Amino acid sequence: MMQSFVYGMLKISGVSWLDLYTVIVTGFIWCLCIVIQTILFKEKFDDDMIYDILASMVFSLGIGYVYQKTGLIIISMIAHFCERVLSCVIFSKKA
């Protein structure tokens, strides 16, 4: 939903390369939200957090591109579910 909102705002603003900038801006917004959440919950900002932010940025760019080209939100939802399951498995084995 955020991506559709960003797309609409950039389209109204007359931005060229609309699809590309929408995906990038949405990725940065997503990562900024992770940083804000970390600050609000007073979590430790360490290497793991940096890796989580970088992984979220890569995932957001990839799935944002897929959504932008297909327009199918279900693909994004399934990919996000799989990513969260994989992350939980990785982090539970690490601990």
Side-chain angles (χ1 to χ4, degrees), residues 33-79:
C33 289
I34 293 171
V35 171
I36 291 170
Q37 179 181 339
T38 301
I39 293 168
L40 288 176
F41 290 120
K42 298 178 182 175
E43 295 176 358
K44 191 166 77 170
F45 201 86
D46 56 3
D47 288 344
D48 286 340
M49 185 59 60
I50 298 293
Y51 294 137
D52 188 33
I53 292 170
L54 289 174
S56 293
M57 184 64 171
V58 170
F59 178 79
S60 181
L61 291 174
I63 203 60
Y65 178 79
V66 170
Y67 174 66
Q68 199 68 27
K69 292 302 176 188
T70 65
L72 298 173
I73 192 70
I74 191 72
I75 296 171
S76 301
M77 294 170 67
I78 292 169

Side-chain angles (χ1 to χ4, degrees), residues 2-3 6 10 19-37 52-65:
M2 173 63 72
Q3 188 164 336
V6 171
L10 292 176
D19 289 349
L20 176 66
Y21 288 134
T22 298
V23 171
I24 293 171
V25 169
T26 304
F28 278 113
I29 290 170
W30 187 259
C31 291
L32 181 62
C33 289
I34 293 171
V35 171
I36 291 170
Q37 179 181 339
D52 188 33
I53 292 170
L54 289 174
S56 293
M57 184 64 171
V58 170
F59 178 79
S60 181
L61 291 174
I63 203 60
Y65 178 79

